[in-house]
């Protein structure tokens, strides 16, 4: 696993971010809260005709992970690893645009906690999640 650059803007989004249409809309450093947009196409639909739950869980993990990364001390930490993700699915999701919010609940010395919420384009609450992360010390 490689260390992320200290300047987060230098880290490429990578393939998965492109696949889920991830875009950071804003970050509030005082509240440690991020707002993001996603766009999911028909490729993510399951046999029931709705977005697969694993894809929704990916969005929730992304929301929590990005807010932890944006809120952590990049001189000290090189990234994080998800230890636990609890996702509650509140409604089915159809292909389209989604807006999500992630917020840090607590940053410890080596563990961080976040929560996230996801809404579709009609403002239906699709899912909520909480996550625990291990903060990875920067290699010197």
């Amino acid at each position: 696993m490689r260390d992320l650059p200290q300047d987060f803007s230098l880290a490429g989004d990578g393939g998965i971010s492109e696949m889920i249409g991830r875009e950071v809309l804003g970050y509030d450093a005082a509240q440690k809260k991020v707002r993001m947009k996603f766009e999911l196409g028909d490729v993510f639909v399951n046999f029931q005709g709705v977005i697969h739950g694993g894809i929704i869980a990916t969005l929730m993990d992304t929301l929590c992970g990005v807010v932890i990364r944006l809120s952590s001390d990049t001189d000290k930490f090189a990234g994080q690893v998800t230890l636990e993700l609890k996702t509650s699915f509140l409604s089915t999701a159809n292909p389209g645009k989604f807006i999500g919010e992630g917020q840090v609940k607590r940053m410890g010395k080596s563990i961080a906690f976040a929560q996230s919420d996801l809404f579709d384009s009609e403002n239906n609450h699709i899912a909520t999640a909480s996550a625990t992360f291990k903060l990875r010390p920067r290699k010197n």
Side-chain angles (χ1 to χ4, degrees):
M1 183 177 307
R2 67 175 186 245
D3 283 3
L4 291 173
Q6 288 176 292
D7 181 351
F8 188 61
S9 67
L10 299 177
D13 273 350
I16 189 134
S17 292
E18 291 176 24
M19 287 177 62
I20 61 176
R22 184 191 93 164
E23 180 183 344
V24 175
L25 300 176
Y27 172 67
D28 183 331
Q31 292 188 339
K32 295 183 179 173
K33 186 182 263 189
V34 71
R35 185 170 170 83
M36 298 173 66
K37 180 176 86 170
F38 303 94
E39 188 159 351
L40 301 176
D42 290 335
V43 68
F44 298 111
V45 171
N46 65 20
F47 70 94
Q48 297 180 92
V50 296
I51 300 293
H52 187 280
I55 300 304
I56 299 299
T58 298
L59 302 186
M60 307 312 285
D61 186 50
T62 299
L63 284 159
C64 289
V66 168
V67 77
I68 292 295
R69 177 67 183 153
L70 292 173
S71 302
S72 65
D73 180 349
T74 58
D75 290 332
K76 187 175 179 182
F77 299 109
Q80 73 278 340
V81 177
T82 307
L83 296 175
E84 177 186 42
L85 177 69
K86 180 187 183 299
T87 304
S88 296
F89 302 96
L90 307 174
S91 181
T92 58
N94 295 305
K97 294 180 182 177
F98 298 85
I99 297 292
E101 294 183 348
Q103 184 168 20
V104 173
K105 298 313 287 178
R106 185 168 190 275
M107 294 281 282
K109 293 179 184 178
S110 63
I111 303 291
F113 302 89
Q115 69 180 35
S116 59
D117 290 285
L118 185 70
F119 301 87
D120 67 12
S121 61
E122 296 176 8
N123 207 34
N124 295 309
H125 199 179
I126 301 301
T128 186
S130 61
T132 306
F133 294 87
K134 171 73 174 159
L135 300 173
R136 293 189 314 105
R138 186 164 294 284
K139 298 172 187 169
N140 292 327

